Amino acid sequence: MASYHLRVKNDTQPSGKKVSAKSHVDYIFREDGKAHADYINREGAQKDRTDCVFKGSQLPKWAKGSAQKFFSAATRYEDKGNRRYKEIELSLPNELTLEQNREIVGRFIKNHLANHYYAYAIHEKAGELSGERHPHVHIMFSERLIDDVERIKERPACKYFRRAARPLKGEQVASFERRREHGAPKAPKWHDKKYLCEMRADYARIQNEVLSANGYSIRVDHRTLKAQEQEAERNGDFFLSKVCKRTPEEYIGIVSAHKEEGLAAGVRSYRERVQSKQTVLFQADVKQKLEQEFEIKEMIRRAELETFVLLKSEGYKKANLESEPLRNLNEVILSGLARINRRKKDLVSVSNAIERAQSEYLTESERKLFLDYKSRVGERHNLVMLLEELQALNESKPNQQQVFREIESGIQRKIIELDDLFFQLRPELRAIEEKLQSSYRRKNVELVAHGKLQATLVIWRELRKTSEELLRNVAVLRGQIGVREVPKTTFTAKEIRDNLYRQYRSLKAEYERATENRNRLRFKIISPKRAMVIAKNVFVQGAFKKLRVEQYAYKKAKSKYEREMLENRNREMFFNNTNWTNIGEKVQEQYYLTKEKIRLETTRQKLAQTQSYLDSESVRLETLCQTEEAQEKIVLIAAGVLRKNLKVAHEYEESKKRVSDLWQKTQETKKRFQTLDNGYSRLKKNREYRVIRSASDSAKTSTLQEDELVKIIADALLGEKYAVALVAR
């Protein structure tokens, strides 16, 4: 996994004993069977080891490309007490390929070792503790610089490693000739701890840039766990702060891992505890974010709903929004709604964040299989839901049972096919699941998913704030354009009659609009029979629709032909029954009749050919749709058409119910008004009536609207017993 490790080593063992540069380079680069160079370069005694995957160097010509020869000369010619070499160990991200890791190494060397002679080897093997692929690089280099003298003409080995020339008295810099006779100077930066910190930060930056460029979201951090914890706390990222709140691991080299099995076992156990703690924290963090996500989505939904209700209200349409305060408030509301719609597109849900993080750690084929499986699971869920809704709809359409059974049978066959496919994919899916659940991958998946969620946290907060502001502004505008007077509680008989008439007119207009909406929706309803027709047309790629257009054109042409034939027969009858006195007129009329007869005969033949073609095409298309495979596909397409139309079907059913309710209310109000109007002359015009709010009924009557109060008083005036007890005059 992507983890940070940069270690700089000298040519001295912890005991203080000097390590021979020659033996060390042999150990690393495997030249001439020597120990450490052989280890690094996988040559000589270590040549059977296959974990050295790439070697590179920048060496003087006299070394002839051999790191062993260069560092052997360093051991021979460096003064006693001087460092013969330094080594940098770098861990490389195992998410990346060899070429991508070579880019990291190349950029690091360019930034820090371009003016030095060096040799490096990239090793790739299973980690001693984790068992995971563990690419890393060993870089051995001389602290001596490639100075201007060396660039003009290389020094021989016996001179290059000598002490550098010092300026004589009166000189600021030693002369070119004296510098050539002495060794190359050593770079002072390798004694500067500040530079080491800068190099560590730069290596983290290089890794993160290459990871990002190759589509990976995981990042490495060169800082201490304490520094990372403090930054996470400042940012309010309590998950990351708790993850970083742990004791750093002690570095265990390959020798220690083999010699001290107890130490290695302790580190493995510690890593398992850290991973277990991170998983628990991640699950708690996901639960919290799911709750926040649900809460904010509900707030957004409420803000959008109240805004749409306001924008569609009659009061808003009639309001004068040209005045500056109202215009500004209206613009703020519309811009807030637009901002919500725009920012919602940038949101990443918890499930999407986890899926995206997992997909980064799969191969292309695994990713394709994983995403296809998710898609098929969603398809199966939709089919199951559609089947349930169709079964409910089936009860309300008893005259179309046969078509429903065909569609249900097709959906059930498709569900069985998907279940069979899931069974076949089970071994591959289990392998992917095991891969994602391995300790080190799970660790990075959780960190990446958390990072994606944390990045969208700002958007969630912004949406919460925008929704709250939108709700406040909508309430203010609603109050300003629809300010109501103190609710009226007492009414005269005239006010009662006028109010009832207004209610009747309003309900009648609403009933007419609802009826119009119901009729509009009725034409959008797709019956199962029509769905099958649409499905057939889709199956044959629009051929049935084209055929219907041609059939319509044929019927139109045939109808025209029949009219013309009738006119021609009438004309012939007129010709035969006429006593022609002018032979010229008779011949001319006979000529036109003959010509028209020939044209009509040609038209008849063309129509016959067209009809024959249309009949054969219809038979051909029907035959295509009669195969078992075609029937299955057509049924599934029809099911999809009905599924898309279910929303319209539900809206139509609701509109029918609304029309029925409005009709009943309209008739009740009409009857109440007409009865009161018939006896209006017997009522005293200026007497006032109100609904009594007794202690037992105060909770109910205090919430009644003006129209409801009017109905109760009207019922009391008409002698209804329940209302008489509630009304005082």
Side-chain angles (χ1 to χ4, degrees):
M1 297 292 104
S3 58
Y4 189 88
H5 173 72
L6 185 153
R7 189 181 184 207
V8 180
K9 298 193 294 185
N10 297 324
D11 61 350
T12 307
Q13 294 180 350
S15 62
K17 182 181 179 181
K18 285 283 186 180
V19 176
S20 168
K22 178 182 176 182
S23 62
H24 195 65
V25 78
D26 285 346
Y27 173 60
I28 292 177
F29 288 89
R30 300 299 192 270
E31 293 183 358
D32 301 329
K34 305 300 180 182
H36 202 60
D38 285 350
Y39 166 70
I40 288 186
N41 227 23
R42 302 301 187 254
E43 295 177 356
Q46 301 282 343
K47 65 182 178 182
D48 292 333
R49 298 185 62 165
T50 59
D51 53 347
C52 182
V53 293
F54 188 79
K55 294 179 282 187
S57 63
Q58 176 175 267
L59 298 171
K61 293 178 182 177
W62 54 261
K64 297 180 181 179
S66 170
Q68 196 265 358
K69 188 171 183 179
F70 177 81
F71 289 105
S72 294
T75 302
R76 181 177 180 183
Y77 295 116
E78 279 284 1
D79 290 344
K80 187 177 180 180
N82 284 358
R83 281 198 292 262
R84 279 71 58 82
Y85 68 89
K86 287 183 82 73
E87 181 186 0
I88 300 177
E89 288 180 358
L90 302 174
S91 178
L92 298 169
N94 74 350
E95 289 87 350
L96 302 181
T97 64
L98 174 61
E99 289 299 319
Q100 292 161 352
N101 277 326
R102 281 180 59 190
E103 181 184 352
I104 292 177
V105 175
R107 289 175 61 177
F108 176 81
I109 288 174
K110 181 180 178 181
N111 290 352
H112 303 285
L113 296 171
N115 293 325
H116 294 269
Y117 289 128
Y118 60 82
Y120 70 90
I122 298 177
H123 295 175
E124 189 172 300
K125 61 174 184 175
E128 295 293 335
L129 298 176
S130 66
E132 294 285 327
R133 174 172 163 260
H134 176 49
H136 58 282
V137 60
H138 298 265
I139 308 174
M140 285 183 68
F141 66 97
S142 170
E143 293 177 86
R144 295 189 180 276
L145 291 167
I146 303 174
D147 58 1
D148 57 337
V149 175
E150 188 72 10
R151 292 186 188 283
I152 295 172
K153 187 177 180 181
E154 292 179 357
R155 302 176 178 89
C158 60
K159 292 184 178 179
Y160 181 79
F161 293 105
R162 288 180 60 185
R163 188 184 297 273
R166 294 181 179 179
L168 298 176
K169 190 174 182 181
E171 292 181 339
Q172 290 186 348
V173 180
S175 65
F176 186 86
E177 291 75 13
R178 291 185 60 247
R179 283 190 288 143
R180 174 169 293 285
E181 294 301 318
H182 289 73
K186 289 193 174 185
K189 65 183 182 182
W190 301 111
H191 297 271
D192 186 354
K193 289 185 178 180
K194 184 178 179 181
Y195 179 75
L196 178 60
C197 294
E198 292 174 358
M199 184 172 65
R200 288 176 59 82
D202 186 56
Y203 182 55
R205 179 187 61 79
I206 292 170
Q207 281 192 85
N208 291 334
E209 287 178 357
V210 176
L211 283 166
S212 176
N214 289 283
Y216 290 97
S217 303
I218 193 66
R219 298 293 179 263
V220 298
D221 200 323
H222 67 287
R223 297 173 299 169
T224 63
L225 289 173
K226 186 66 177 176
Q228 295 178 50
E229 177 191 348
Q230 291 172 349
E231 183 188 51
E233 288 178 352
R234 287 195 300 271
N235 295 335
D237 189 346
F238 300 109
F239 164 80
L240 200 56
S241 69
K242 291 177 181 177
V243 168
C244 293
K245 194 171 186 178
R246 65 180 191 269
T247 304
E249 279 187 20
E250 181 181 350
Y251 174 76
I252 299 180
I254 183 171
V255 177
S256 301
H258 283 294
K259 288 184 177 180
E260 303 179 39
E261 184 59 32
L263 180 60
V267 172
R268 289 193 193 95
S269 175
Y270 176 72
R271 287 183 179 179
E272 289 173 3
R273 292 198 303 272
V274 169
Q275 177 58 54
S276 177
K277 174 188 174 183
Q278 177 179 302
T279 300
V280 171
L281 291 172
F282 178 72
Q283 291 171 350
D285 185 61
V286 163
K287 183 179 178 181
Q288 181 185 6
K289 283 185 167 59
L290 280 171
E291 293 173 355
Q292 291 178 352
E293 186 178 313
F294 177 78
E295 178 188 344
I296 296 173
K297 279 184 177 178
E298 281 296 306
M299 184 176 292
I300 292 170
R301 186 193 62 78
R302 188 158 59 89
E304 289 178 334
L305 180 62
E306 293 200 13
T307 305
F308 290 141
V309 169
L310 172 65
L311 297 179
K312 293 180 180 179
S313 65
E314 292 296 326
Y316 179 83
K317 294 174 182 177
K318 295 177 181 178
N320 179 18
L321 299 176
E322 296 301 321
S323 60
E324 186 174 349
L326 289 181
R327 185 175 69 249
N328 292 340
L329 187 57
N330 186 51
E331 289 176 356
V332 169
I333 289 173
L334 294 177
S335 64
L337 186 62
R339 187 162 60 252
I340 287 176
N341 290 329
R342 186 172 61 253
R343 294 299 279 165
K344 279 198 302 185
K345 298 176 183 177
D346 300 327
L347 287 175
V348 177
S349 65
V350 171
S351 58
N352 283 342
I354 295 174
E355 284 183 12
R356 291 182 188 180
Q358 289 175 335
S359 67
E360 290 185 10
Y361 289 90
L362 299 175
T363 64
E364 190 63 35
S365 58
E366 289 173 337
R367 189 181 298 115
K368 184 178 179 182
L369 176 64
F370 184 68
L371 295 177
D372 184 59
Y373 169 72
K374 293 283 186 183
S375 174
R376 296 296 180 90
V377 169
E379 181 183 353
R380 186 188 186 283
H381 174 74
N382 290 336
L383 288 172
V384 171
M385 297 297 293
L386 175 61
L387 193 60
E388 293 176 359
E389 294 190 7
L390 284 176
Q391 288 168 350
L393 192 61
N394 187 11
E395 297 173 2
S396 63
K397 304 284 183 181
N399 58 334
Q400 297 184 4
Q401 295 287 334
Q402 180 61 32
V403 179
F404 271 113
R405 280 195 291 271
E406 289 180 12
I407 294 175
E408 288 175 0
S409 175
I411 294 173
Q412 288 170 347
R413 283 198 300 273
K414 184 62 178 177
I415 291 173
I416 293 171
E417 286 178 13
L418 289 173
D419 289 338
D420 291 340
L421 177 63
F422 294 157
F423 182 78
Q424 294 171 10
L425 295 177
R426 188 177 297 172
E428 296 176 68
L429 293 170
R430 187 182 294 116
I432 291 175
E433 188 66 24
E434 290 175 356
K435 180 178 180 179
L436 292 173
Q437 288 303 315
S438 67
S439 178
Y440 289 87
R441 282 191 185 86
R442 188 168 76 251
K443 170 187 173 183
N444 279 17
V445 165
E446 290 170 355
L447 291 173
V448 169
H450 171 76
K452 292 181 182 296
L453 291 173
Q454 203 67 16
T456 57
L457 199 59
V458 177
I459 302 175
W460 284 110
R461 289 170 180 166
E462 180 184 339
L463 284 169
R464 181 203 291 271
K465 184 178 178 181
T466 305
S467 300
E468 290 173 348
E469 292 175 353
L470 187 60
L471 286 169
R472 286 196 299 269
N473 291 328
V474 166
V476 171
L477 183 59
R478 186 189 295 117
Q480 291 185 2
I481 65 176
V483 178
R484 295 184 178 180
E485 298 176 358
V486 177
K488 190 174 178 64
T489 57
T490 60
F491 306 88
T492 64
K494 183 178 184 304
E495 289 173 337
I496 295 293
R497 188 186 69 163
D498 292 345
N499 191 293
L500 283 175
Y501 182 69
R502 180 187 59 77
Q503 286 188 46
Y504 166 67
R505 296 287 296 179
S506 176
L507 284 169
K508 185 180 178 183
E510 193 173 354
Y511 166 75
E512 290 172 352
R513 288 194 297 270
T515 303
E516 183 181 349
N517 183 54
R518 180 201 62 187
N519 294 338
R520 179 181 60 81
L521 289 171
R522 181 188 297 162
F523 291 107
K524 291 186 175 182
I525 292 290
I526 298 176
S527 66
K529 187 175 180 180
R530 187 180 166 203
M532 291 294 286
V533 172
I534 294 172
K536 284 183 177 181
N537 184 58
V538 172
F539 176 73
V540 295
Q541 299 179 349
F544 272 115
K545 184 176 181 180
K546 182 180 177 183
L547 180 64
R548 284 195 296 271
V549 171
E550 292 174 344
Q551 286 173 338
Y552 175 76
Y554 166 76
K555 288 179 181 178
K556 194 173 179 181
K558 186 177 180 182
S559 177
K560 182 181 177 182
Y561 165 76
E562 290 173 350
R563 286 196 309 271
E564 290 174 345
M565 281 292 295
L566 181 61
E567 291 174 0
N568 193 57
R569 280 196 296 270
N570 292 335
R571 198 167 177 178
E572 281 183 345
M573 288 175 61
F574 175 79
F575 177 83
N576 294 328
N577 295 331
T578 301
N579 187 13
W580 296 94
T581 57
N582 189 328
I583 301 300
E585 289 180 358
K586 181 180 179 181
V587 171
Q588 186 178 10
E589 183 65 19
Q590 191 174 18
Y591 168 75
Y592 284 124
L593 283 172
T594 305
K595 186 177 179 181
E596 183 67 11
K597 191 174 183 180
I598 293 170
R599 187 184 68 81
L600 289 173
E601 178 62 22
T602 304
T603 303
R604 186 192 66 77
Q605 291 175 1
K606 288 182 179 179
L607 287 173
Q609 290 174 359
T610 303
Q611 184 175 12
S612 175
Y613 162 74
L614 293 175
D615 291 344
S616 62
E617 182 67 7
S618 178
V619 170
R620 184 183 71 83
L621 294 177
E622 288 293 343
T623 305
L624 281 175
C625 296
Q626 292 305 316
T627 64
E628 184 177 349
E629 182 183 358
Q631 285 292 317
E632 290 182 0
K633 290 184 178 179
I634 289 169
V635 166
L636 286 177
I637 294 170
V641 172
L642 287 175
R643 180 175 60 190
K644 291 181 179 178
N645 195 246
L646 276 176
K647 184 179 179 182
V648 178
H650 292 325
E651 289 179 358
Y652 175 68
E653 294 298 327
E654 290 174 2
S655 69
K656 282 174 58 178
K657 183 181 177 183
R658 178 167 174 74
V659 167
S660 176
D661 293 344
L662 285 171
W663 170 254
Q664 184 178 354
K665 289 180 181 179
T666 302
Q667 294 306 309
E668 288 176 357
T669 306
K670 181 181 179 181
K671 181 181 178 181
R672 187 181 282 117
F673 166 73
Q674 288 178 343
T675 307
L676 183 67
D677 189 56
N678 291 336
Y680 180 68
S681 59
R682 299 192 301 271
L683 298 174
K684 292 189 176 181
K685 311 300 182 292
N686 296 323
R687 178 173 288 171
E688 293 185 339
Y689 303 87
R690 67 182 177 87
V691 176
I692 301 171
R693 292 179 173 82
S694 62
S696 59
D697 294 327
S698 61
K700 298 178 181 178
T701 57
S702 62
T703 59
L704 294 178
Q705 301 297 318
E706 181 178 323
D707 290 349
E708 294 168 322
L709 295 173
V710 166
K711 289 178 184 178
I712 294 173
I713 296 172
D715 287 346
L717 294 175
L718 295 174
E720 295 287 345
K721 291 182 179 180
Y722 90 92
V724 170
L726 290 173
V727 174
R729 64 185 182 184

